[in-house]
Each structure stands twice: as structure tokens, then as C-alpha cells.
Amino acid sequence: MKLIPTLLTALSLASLVGTASAQESDIRKALAERIPQMDKIDEVRPTPMKGLYEVRIGTDLFYTDAKGNYVIQGELIDTKARRNLTEDRISKLTAVDFSALPLKDAFTIVRGDGKRKVAVFEDPNCGYCKRFERDLQNVDNVTVYLFLYPILSPDSAEKSRNIWCAKDKTAAWQDYMVRDKAPAAASCDTSALQRNLAFGKKHKITGTPTLIFANGTRVPGAIGAQDVEKRLAEASSDSPTTN
């Protein structure tokens, strides 16, 4: 007789899975027919809000009802938990395994004991990057892996080459970004810069600066020293993924 409850539970779970699968199919079909740009949906899944489903295309998130009759583009907030669920989800989707970073294609800036780690993708022509670099001077006990990421203009590639090929990359970078002293002309093998661009394209790094912390968290845009400190502390408290 004990088998009966077990079988009923299994049948109930199978029914729920079937219902969820049918709803996902309905949503995919309806959206593809009505919105051609949504013909390649990567994932459909229920949200904590009853009747609302997340539709993911790459790292772009949308929300819809069970029939795909309505689409919402915006942020889903859990007011009880005081959390931005959309932001949390995007953070997970865009996280980069720190141990997978091609550190050979970056140069390092070490301050203090260098125990904490952060990787930064920057373009030398980026004004926000200059502001970020000047703020970063106030952060100690950190190793910064600097990936030159020339995406803003042809001149960005030239300046990146001059910095990458300098005898002292760190000094050339700091001179330009912090003290506005242009790097001297230099030449060498710049295939690392091309690999940086390929890596950024693969991981959808579309702006500079972009920061990646040791726990995989990615932060787009210039943040202040206080915020950098906060995120370094969070990364240190998480399970490390560093080498």
C-alpha cells in the first residue's frame, strides 16, 4: 500500500512538468509569431510572481504571461525581500569565471600585499576609465589585471599598442590615465589585444570600464573607490574561483 502515495506523487510531478513544458511551448510559439525579433528564445522559466514568466534571449530579459499575450521589458522587484530580481539574474548570467580569464593577455598593477584581485577591461580613450583609474589610486592591497580593450576608435588601438609595447606597461598606463602623459610610440606583437577583443565579444563586454571580481561578479561602468572596496570584500567572503 505504501507504493500508492509514491506513485501518486510521481504522477503529480510528471503532470506539473508537462504543464510547465506546455506553457513554455505556448510562450515560445506566440512570441515568435507575433514578435519576429523573439524567434530565438534561449530560455523560458517561471518567476516567483505567479503567472509571470521570464523570457531570456542571450542576457536580455523580458517578462510575459502564460500565453505570451503580453510582454514587459523592465525590472522585477521583490518588495518583501527588497531585492531587484532582474539585476540578480543578469549578474548570474553575465558572471565570468575568474580562473578562465586569459591573464597572460593582461598586465598587472600590484598595490600593498596584492591579496585581493580584480580584472578590468579598459580603453585608453575612455573618459570614464580615466576617472575610475584616478579613484582606484585610493584602493590598497589589491592586484589589478589590466586588459587593454580598444573598442572606441582607431586611435584607441594605437594608444593601446603603445602602452602594451612599452618597456614598463604599468608606468605607461598610469602616466596616461592618471597624469595625461601620452605614451611614446612603440611596436611589438599585439596579438594579445586581438585576443582581448575576441574574449570581450564572446562574453558581451560592450563598454569600458568593465570590472570582473574574483567571485565572478561583473560590474559595467566606473565605480568609486568605496564601491570597489565593498565588492572586493564580497568577493573575498565568497568561495574563491581564483587560481
Side-chain angles (χ1 to χ4, degrees), residues 61-101:
L61 301 182
F62 305 88
Y63 300 98
T64 187
D65 62 297
K67 296 296 182 182
N69 290 329
Y70 302 94
V71 173
I72 301 169
Q73 185 173 15
E75 297 182 337
L76 183 62
I77 311 294
D78 183 335
T79 58
K80 188 175 180 181
R82 298 184 180 182
R83 294 189 67 88
N84 185 325
L85 301 183
T86 304
E87 190 176 273
D88 289 350
R89 178 82 167 122
I90 290 174
S91 292
K92 289 181 180 178
L93 290 170
T94 59
V96 177
D97 183 354
F98 202 88
S99 65
L101 286 168

Side-chain angles (χ1 to χ4, degrees), residues 117-142:
K117 301 179 189 300
V118 62
V120 189
F121 286 74
E122 296 190 71
D123 185 308
N125 277 332
C126 166
Y128 291 107
C129 296
K130 287 190 174 184
R131 188 181 76 186
F132 167 74
E133 283 293 331
R134 287 164 186 171
D135 250 4
L136 196 60
Q137 304 300 304
N138 299 312
V139 178
D140 201 9
N141 297 325
V142 64

Side-chain angles (χ1 to χ4, degrees), residues 180-191:
D180 291 319
K181 180 182 175 183
S187 61
C188 66
D189 179 4
T190 57
S191 55

Side-chain angles (χ1 to χ4, degrees), residues 14-218:
S15 175
L16 287 172
V17 170
T19 301
S21 179
Q23 287 173 333
E24 177 181 339
S25 179
D26 288 345
I27 289 170
R28 285 178 180 272
K29 184 173 183 294
L31 295 182
E33 289 175 352
R34 300 167 187 172
I35 307 175
Q37 298 91 328
M38 301 186 80
D39 64 334
K40 293 183 179 178
I41 293 171
D42 292 305
E43 184 181 10
V44 176
R45 67 181 212 163
T47 72
M49 180 176 172
K50 186 177 180 181
L52 189 69
Y53 291 79
E54 175 197 291
V55 177
R56 180 177 68 82
I57 301 174
T59 55
D60 294 327
L61 301 182
F62 305 88
Y63 300 98
T64 187
D65 62 297
K67 296 296 182 182
N69 290 329
Y70 302 94
V71 173
I72 301 169
Q73 185 173 15
E75 297 182 337
L76 183 62
I77 311 294
D78 183 335
T79 58
K80 188 175 180 181
R82 298 184 180 182
R83 294 189 67 88
N84 185 325
L85 301 183
T86 304
E87 190 176 273
D88 289 350
R89 178 82 167 122
I90 290 174
S91 292
K92 289 181 180 178
L93 290 170
T94 59
V96 177
D97 183 354
F98 202 88
S99 65
L101 286 168
L103 299 182
K104 68 180 186 304
D105 293 332
F107 59 90
T108 58
I109 302 169
V110 181
R111 296 197 179 95
D113 60 27
K115 286 183 179 178
R116 304 180 298 175
K117 301 179 189 300
V118 62
V120 189
F121 286 74
E122 296 190 71
D123 185 308
N125 277 332
C126 166
Y128 291 107
C129 296
K130 287 190 174 184
R131 188 181 76 186
F132 167 74
E133 283 293 331
R134 287 164 186 171
D135 250 4
L136 196 60
Q137 304 300 304
N138 299 312
V139 178
D140 201 9
N141 297 325
V142 64
T143 296
V144 179
Y145 297 97
L146 201 295
F147 289 85
L148 290 167
Y149 195 57
I151 59 172
L152 296 180
S153 70
D155 183 51
S156 298
E158 181 182 346
K159 286 175 180 169
S160 294
R161 182 198 68 217
N162 291 339
I163 292 166
W164 181 253
C165 297
K167 288 183 179 179
D168 188 334
K169 297 177 178 63
T170 298
W173 174 255
Q174 299 281 12
D175 279 347
Y176 185 61
M177 301 301 282
V178 179
R179 292 177 280 277
D180 291 319
K181 180 182 175 183
S187 61
C188 66
D189 179 4
T190 57
S191 55
L193 304 185
Q194 298 307 312
R195 289 193 294 270
N196 290 349
L197 292 172
F199 183 90
K201 183 178 180 180
K202 177 183 177 182
H203 292 277
K204 299 190 182 207
I205 297 174
T206 57
T208 55
T210 291
L211 290 69
I212 299 172
F213 291 87
N215 60 354
T217 301
R218 171 159 62 175

